[in-house]
Amino acid sequence: MGVLGKAFKKDAKLVAEYLNKLKTEDVLSIEKNLSENKESTITVNDKDYKLTPEMITVKRYQKTVHVEELTPSVIEPSFGIGRIMYSVFEHNFKIREGDEQRSYLSLPASIAPYKCSVLPISNNPDFGIHIKNISQALNQNDISHKVDDSSGSIGRRYARTDQIAIPYGITIDFDTLKDTPPTATLRERDSMKQIRASLKELPQIVKDLVDGKRTWEDITNNYPLFEQQETTK
């Protein structure tokens, strides 16, 4: 600084600040000019300053850095599929009003893994042909579904399907065997309301609901609400 002060007077501090901010490639360029030409010219605020070997020395040394602080210019938050799925599940997790033991996932039908369940009300062997027919019809309409013919009560099986977000459930009951043509009930997960319609109509009804072509309100306005089956055996 003493040599710079004598050479540049009041501008010495300005020149020193400029030199301290130089990039590595600029320092190497000045060093080369000083070595070959014994001088190097820099421009600060549109004014030229001539440097000589007596004014500046370039030193090389190794420095161990234990902590380096920096302010990032780009922040990339972690937002993988796991967090998305967690948010979806948390947003759609519901508990039945008045019954804290009954929970369900209210996933929209468009993203629910299974769109429909098929539930025979009992293990009566006469239900077998109707279960097979409705399952084939659902497959033909590209409707993913799950048949639950376990021995649990129909209420427990409804609860199980609700917990895995199945939006609609077709129940084969004893009225199915009695009616001509055969009918079955269709249950909507969130409201738990049911309508009764012919087995031939139900696959198309479910497909229209899943595709968003019809709403559940429209269905309940066009089909009779189901209260209880008339035939119990």
Side-chain angles (χ1 to χ4, degrees), residues 107-127:
L107 292 179
S110 57
I111 64 172
Y114 289 113
K115 314 302 183 186
C116 183
S117 60
V118 178
L119 309 167
I121 202 166
S122 76
N123 58 2
N124 189 314
D126 292 337
F127 293 151

Side-chain angles (χ1 to χ4, degrees), residues 31 33 50 69 85 91 134 141 157 169 174 188 197:
E31 181 186 35
N33 289 333
K50 185 179 294 185
E69 296 182 358
M85 292 300 295
H91 181 74
I134 194 69
N141 282 274
R157 285 183 285 158
F174 291 103
E188 195 266 341

Side-chain angles (χ1 to χ4, degrees), residues 72-202:
S73 57
V74 176
I75 298 176
E76 183 179 355
S78 174
F79 201 65
I81 187 64
R83 297 189 182 192
I84 295 174
M85 292 300 295
Y86 177 86
S87 299
V88 169
F89 288 145
E90 183 180 39
H91 181 74
N92 289 279
F93 179 80
K94 305 289 177 63
I95 295 176
R96 297 289 182 198
E97 186 175 354
D99 188 352
E100 295 183 355
Q101 299 302 314
R102 294 191 64 181
S103 60
Y104 65 101
L105 284 176
S106 61
L107 292 179
S110 57
I111 64 172
Y114 289 113
K115 314 302 183 186
C116 183
S117 60
V118 178
L119 309 167
I121 202 166
S122 76
N123 58 2
N124 189 314
D126 292 337
F127 293 151
I129 185 62
H130 297 298
I131 296 172
K132 179 181 178 181
N133 290 340
I134 194 69
S135 181
Q136 289 178 344
L138 290 170
N139 285 330
Q140 290 172 359
N141 282 274
D142 294 324
I143 299 171
S144 57
H145 63 283
K146 179 178 178 63
V147 177
D148 185 355
D149 55 1
S150 59
S151 58
S153 68
I154 191 66
R156 287 182 179 274
R157 285 183 285 158
Y158 282 151
R160 284 203 297 261
T161 61
D162 292 346
Q163 288 176 337
I164 60 174
I166 300 179
Y168 305 106
I170 296 174
T171 303
I172 309 296
D173 58 19
F174 291 103
D175 287 343
T176 305
L177 304 179
K178 176 179 69 69
D179 293 341
T180 305
T183 64
T185 66
L186 178 65
R187 176 182 181 269
E188 195 266 341
R189 176 197 59 215
D190 294 357
S191 68
M192 297 190 295
K193 290 184 177 180
Q194 299 184 58
I195 58 99
R196 192 164 201 99
S198 70
L199 283 177
K200 288 186 177 181
E201 290 182 277
L202 286 174

Side-chain angles (χ1 to χ4, degrees), residues 8-44:
F8 303 129
K9 302 297 190 277
K10 62 183 179 63
D11 291 339
K13 182 178 180 181
L14 185 66
V15 172
E17 290 177 349
Y18 174 84
L19 293 174
N20 285 330
K21 294 179 180 179
L22 287 176
K23 296 180 180 179
T24 302
E25 55 267 28
D26 296 326
V27 173
L28 294 177
S29 177
I30 291 174
E31 181 186 35
K32 182 179 179 181
N33 289 333
L34 291 174
S35 176
E36 295 177 354
N37 305 319
K38 303 303 179 182
E39 66 178 35
S40 181
T41 301
I42 61 174
T43 302
V44 183

Side-chain angles (χ1 to χ4, degrees), residues 198-225:
S198 70
L199 283 177
K200 288 186 177 181
E201 290 182 277
L202 286 174
Q204 187 61 51
I205 292 174
V206 174
K207 182 172 178 58
D208 288 344
L209 287 167
V210 171
D211 293 344
K213 295 179 179 179
R214 300 183 72 177
T215 64
W216 182 246
E217 182 180 4
D218 176 47
I219 299 300
T220 57
N221 289 334
N222 286 275
Y223 292 89
L225 286 175

